[in-house]
Amino acid sequence: SLDEQVVRAYDAFQRKQDPLERHIYLRALQDTNEVLFYRLLLDHIEEMTPVVYTPVVGLGCQQFSRIYRRPRGLFVSYPFRDSIPALLRNRPNSGVDVIVVTDGERVLGIGDQGVGGLGIPIGKLSLYTLIGGIHPARTLPIILDIGTNNSELLRDPQYLGWRHERVTGQAYFDFIEQFVAAVQSEIPGACLQWEDFAKNHARPLLDRYRNQLLTFNDDIQGTAAVVLGTILSAAKTAGKNLMDMQIVMYGAGSATIGVADYLRGAMVSEGLSEQEAR
């Protein structure tokens, strides 16, 4: 029975003491028995979520090319930029509700991981199924392979990505434009989520496309929504108004700037002027 399978799978999971080995085991289970994978995670959600996603997924991204076993997700590589619609048509399932895409430039706190960044969309979409109830067949992880500036990866004979320094400037934005146009044409109506883009790209891409299609940047907006909700709950518990608080931001990455934007907006909604909130 499925209950008996879960007991056996959990026993195998516990026998692996190394966090990366546990991550590899769960990814392999996801590729070979998706029903068992999600049932196992559901029964042990607090224990296994950090293995499927943060923090262990960071190790998975760093070792992505070396622990690669089976294909999952789409590689959209810069040298094939004129064939993106055809690449999207190679997706395993035609009906897609949610796409998570990254270019791997700013993965978590570990920087440029090239195509190894694909581990983030894979892990995040697993959580959307596990916790959000989205059917896994209607999700699509994508990596935009525009090169990497990680010299260690470029020297690694097992690296799976395009061995080239990152494309920058207008050529980068032109490539993104081709990708978004292909998504709109081939998978209209899908939610396109930007994940782990560097600060100099994250905000411009969100501002450019937020009114063109169903899209959001999780680092800027998702993190901000969670932090704002948490602070509003804390303020209510403390019997204080958000507008009366002074808030210190440490750092100025995409997530921090997004949090500052949401907090400022909430303060304005409570009665402060834009300048007072700032």
Side-chain angles (χ1 to χ4, degrees):
S1 70
L2 184 57
D3 288 339
E4 292 169 331
Q5 293 176 50
V6 169
V7 171
R8 291 174 178 272
Y10 185 56
D11 181 61
F13 173 84
Q14 287 187 305
R15 290 177 182 275
K16 300 182 183 300
Q17 298 301 310
D18 180 71
L20 183 59
E21 285 298 321
R22 288 186 165 190
H23 177 83
I24 294 170
Y25 171 76
L26 290 178
R27 282 283 294 105
L29 187 60
Q30 183 182 16
D31 288 335
T32 55
N33 192 335
E34 207 160 34
V35 172
L36 179 57
F37 168 77
Y38 282 111
R39 173 61 188 277
L40 178 65
L41 261 62
L42 194 61
D43 285 357
H44 303 278
I45 193 166
E46 291 188 20
E47 181 179 4
M48 293 187 177
T49 297
V51 179
V52 171
Y53 202 57
T54 55
V56 182
V57 72
L59 291 172
C61 290
Q62 289 176 309
Q63 299 295 323
F64 185 85
S65 294
R66 292 176 174 270
I67 66 175
Y68 186 85
R69 300 291 187 273
R70 295 184 180 217
R72 178 173 287 268
L74 287 183
F75 290 70
V76 178
S77 186
Y78 186 81
F80 299 98
R81 57 193 178 278
D82 294 328
S83 302
I84 298 178
L87 294 176
L88 293 182
R89 286 194 291 271
N90 283 334
R91 63 189 183 274
N93 301 293
S94 59
V96 174
D97 292 326
V98 183
I99 298 167
V100 177
V101 63
T102 184
D103 66 357
E105 187 171 7
R106 188 207 59 81
V107 174
L108 303 174
I110 57 176
D112 187 347
Q113 298 303 314
V115 297
L118 182 56
I120 295 295
I122 291 172
K124 178 138 289 187
L125 286 169
S126 299
L127 299 187
Y128 287 178
T129 294
L130 177 68
I131 301 168
I134 300 173
H135 196 288
R138 300 193 67 85
T139 66
L140 181 62
I142 296 180
I143 180 74
L144 301 178
D145 183 10
I146 55 168
T148 178
N149 293 333
N150 186 326
S151 58
E152 184 177 337
L153 292 178
L154 292 174
R155 292 194 301 268
D156 186 350
Q158 295 190 50
Y159 180 59
L160 292 172
W162 181 42
R163 296 176 186 278
H164 195 282
E165 291 184 352
R166 282 190 172 272
V167 174
T168 59
Q170 190 57 47
Y172 174 91
F173 289 104
D174 289 344
F175 175 65
I176 298 294
E177 180 70 26
Q178 287 179 285
F179 168 70
V180 172
V183 168
Q184 289 180 296
S185 173
E186 299 295 328
I187 320 177
C191 176
L192 178 62
Q193 174 187 326
W194 310 91
E195 186 76 29
D196 282 353
F197 283 75
K199 181 172 60 177
N200 58 327
H201 292 145
R203 173 72 66 168
L205 291 178
L206 177 61
D207 291 341
R208 182 181 181 94
Y209 297 112
R210 66 192 310 164
N211 296 318
Q212 293 187 28
L213 70 162
L214 183 62
T215 189
F216 74 104
N217 183 295
D218 188 46
D219 303 294
I220 295 174
Q221 296 167 292
T223 305
V226 172
V227 173
L228 175 59
T230 304
I231 292 179
L232 289 175
S233 298
K236 183 177 180 180
T237 301
K240 298 180 179 180
N241 294 316
L242 180 63
M243 61 184 288
D244 297 325
M245 295 182 177
Q246 288 184 313
I247 297 173
V248 177
M249 312 301 292
Y250 180 74
S254 299
T256 313
I257 293 171
V259 170
D261 282 347
Y262 272 43
L263 291 173
R264 187 191 70 233
M267 288 178 169
V268 170
S269 70
E270 287 190 356
L272 292 183
S273 69
E274 187 77 21
Q275 187 57 42
E276 289 171 330
R278 288 179 179 273

